Amino acid sequence: MTTLIVDAANVVGSRPDGWWKDRAGAARRLHEQLLVADLPYDEVVVVLEGAAKGGTKAGRDGHVRTVHAKGSGDETILEQARLAAAKGRTVVVTADRMLQARVGGVGAQALSPSWLLDQL
């Protein structure tokens, strides 16, 4: 099982396209892009926090699963990485250096938002 976990706040925030005016809309657009992207992963997990949670409901949509963070997005991403890494290869997309180190500690690889955006 291969899993890609997306720190949606970091990915959306890496493009100065006005996302801050409509966080929910930016999250929805990212979700839609991930649904149609040809990515080499069995599952894509998108973690949303704050106002972005209004853009996509929690749950599964095809190979994309949306998770709403109850508190810190970082803690939710770390927990998702821990669970996925126990099942197979796991990659986390985030620009947060501290989070990159933490997911490495649970057996996941970290890649930058620019890598993902290049795939979309």
Side-chain angles (χ1 to χ4, degrees):
M1 174 87 167
T2 58
T3 305
L4 179 69
I5 301 172
V6 179
D7 180 347
N10 267 206
V11 173
V12 167
S14 70
R15 295 183 285 195
D17 62 0
W19 60 265
W20 53 90
K21 298 175 192 170
D22 181 11
R23 293 172 194 263
R28 184 180 58 255
R29 288 187 296 277
L30 175 60
H31 181 263
E32 290 168 353
Q33 288 178 303
L34 290 167
L35 280 173
V36 299
D38 185 21
L39 298 170
Y41 294 91
D42 298 315
E43 181 179 49
V44 177
V45 179
V46 181
V47 177
L48 300 177
E49 59 185 297
K53 293 189 288 189
T56 305
K57 64 181 168 106
R60 182 170 299 285
D61 189 1
H63 68 289
V64 177
R65 184 167 52 91
T66 301
V67 175
H68 287 179
K70 289 178 178 52
S72 164
D74 288 2
E75 294 308 314
T76 302
I77 291 163
L78 184 61
E79 181 59 22
Q80 292 296 314
R82 182 180 292 114
L83 293 170
K87 298 176 189 171
R89 182 171 178 267
T90 302
V91 174
V92 175
V93 176
T94 185
D96 183 320
R97 300 271 170 127
M98 185 169 288
L99 183 56
Q100 289 176 347
R102 291 178 73 196
V103 301
V106 299
Q109 176 186 4
L111 293 174
S112 71
S114 61
W115 171 85
L116 179 60
L117 293 172
D118 286 347
Q119 308 305 306
L120 303 176

XYZ file of all heavy atoms in Angstrom, residues 19-28 48-56 68-69:
156
model
N -5.706 32.606 -2.256
C -6.316 31.562 -1.442
C -6.798 32.093 -0.097
O -7.776 31.588 0.449
C -5.352 30.390 -1.227
C -4.082 30.774 -0.539
C -2.901 31.089 -1.125
C -3.863 30.908 0.867
N -1.960 31.415 -0.190
C -2.530 31.314 1.042
C -4.658 30.740 1.992
C -1.977 31.545 2.305
C -4.111 30.966 3.252
C -2.785 31.357 3.390
N -6.135 33.099 0.442
C -6.473 33.629 1.766
C -7.842 34.299 1.789
O -8.429 34.459 2.840
C -5.396 34.593 2.251
C -5.096 35.667 1.250
C -5.704 36.894 1.156
C -4.136 35.608 0.194
N -5.187 37.592 0.096
C -4.207 36.825 -0.517
C -3.221 34.642 -0.222
C -3.410 37.102 -1.619
C -2.430 34.941 -1.313
C -2.518 36.141 -1.997
N -8.364 34.636 0.627
C -9.705 35.241 0.545
C -10.806 34.186 0.599
O -11.948 34.505 0.914
C -9.846 36.041 -0.748
C -8.890 37.193 -0.857
C -9.023 37.846 -2.210
C -7.881 38.802 -2.452
N -7.860 39.275 -3.838
N -10.466 32.942 0.270
C -11.444 31.861 0.231
C -10.739 30.538 0.513
O -10.458 29.766 -0.394
C -12.133 31.825 -1.142
C -13.186 30.741 -1.256
O -13.556 30.128 -0.219
O -13.629 30.478 -2.389
N -10.457 30.291 1.769
C -9.717 29.078 2.163
C -10.492 27.812 1.810
O -9.914 26.826 1.364
C -9.389 29.119 3.643
C -8.402 30.215 3.980
C -8.227 30.365 5.490
N -7.550 31.599 5.813
C -6.251 31.711 6.043
N -5.484 30.649 5.996
N -5.723 32.875 6.326
N -11.804 27.847 2.006
C -12.625 26.673 1.678
C -12.593 26.402 0.175
O -12.461 25.257 -0.259
C -14.057 26.865 2.165
N -12.696 27.438 -0.627
C -12.650 27.278 -2.083
C -11.296 26.756 -2.550
O -11.218 25.911 -3.445
N -10.224 27.234 -1.929
C -8.884 26.767 -2.288
C -8.733 25.285 -1.947
O -8.164 24.515 -2.724
C -7.831 27.598 -1.565
N -9.278 24.870 -0.800
C -9.222 23.456 -0.406
C -10.024 22.602 -1.381
O -9.590 21.512 -1.772
C -9.745 23.279 1.014
N -11.175 23.089 -1.799
C -12.018 22.352 -2.753
C -11.294 22.191 -4.093
O -11.285 21.106 -4.676
C -13.356 23.063 -2.947
C -14.325 22.299 -3.841
C -15.653 23.041 -4.021
N -15.459 24.366 -4.585
C -15.540 25.517 -3.903
N -15.823 25.518 -2.623
N -15.340 26.669 -4.494
N -7.224 18.780 6.175
C -7.709 20.155 6.193
C -7.862 20.623 7.629
O -8.241 19.855 8.512
C -9.071 20.250 5.491
C -9.123 19.825 4.028
C -10.555 19.915 3.519
C -8.191 20.668 3.172
N -7.610 21.908 7.830
C -7.773 22.502 9.150
C -8.448 23.863 9.016
O -8.471 24.445 7.932
C -6.421 22.636 9.846
C -5.424 23.491 9.080
C -4.054 23.514 9.741
O -3.958 24.002 10.879
O -3.096 23.054 9.105
N -9.016 24.339 10.103
C -9.620 25.666 10.135
C -10.710 25.854 9.095
O -11.497 24.948 8.808
N -10.747 27.057 8.507
C -11.782 27.411 7.529
C -11.746 26.545 6.277
O -12.762 26.391 5.595
C -11.649 28.882 7.143
N -10.598 25.957 5.982
C -10.482 25.111 4.784
C -11.390 23.888 4.868
O -11.793 23.337 3.839
C -9.035 24.674 4.591
N -11.752 23.471 6.080
C -12.609 22.286 6.247
C -13.969 22.478 5.593
O -14.626 21.508 5.241
C -12.779 21.941 7.725
C -11.495 21.472 8.373
C -11.695 20.924 9.761
C -11.995 21.973 10.764
N -11.991 21.484 12.156
N -14.377 23.713 5.384
C -15.653 23.981 4.727
C -15.640 23.685 3.236
O -16.684 23.633 2.595
N -14.477 23.449 2.663
C -14.358 23.226 1.224
C -14.645 21.812 0.769
O -15.087 21.593 -0.352
N -14.402 20.848 1.635
C -14.580 19.441 1.284
C -14.987 18.684 2.538
O -14.344 18.823 3.575
C -13.259 18.839 0.739
O -12.801 19.631 -0.351
C -13.452 17.421 0.258
N -10.499 15.917 8.433
C -10.602 17.225 9.086
C -9.854 17.162 10.413
O -10.199 16.340 11.273
C -12.062 17.593 9.330
C -12.790 17.965 8.099
N -14.117 18.309 8.107
C -12.401 18.062 6.801
C -14.509 18.599 6.877
N -13.480 18.446 6.070
N -8.869 18.019 10.560
C -8.104 18.072 11.805
C -8.990 18.639 12.911
O -9.643 19.661 12.722
C -6.870 18.942 11.614
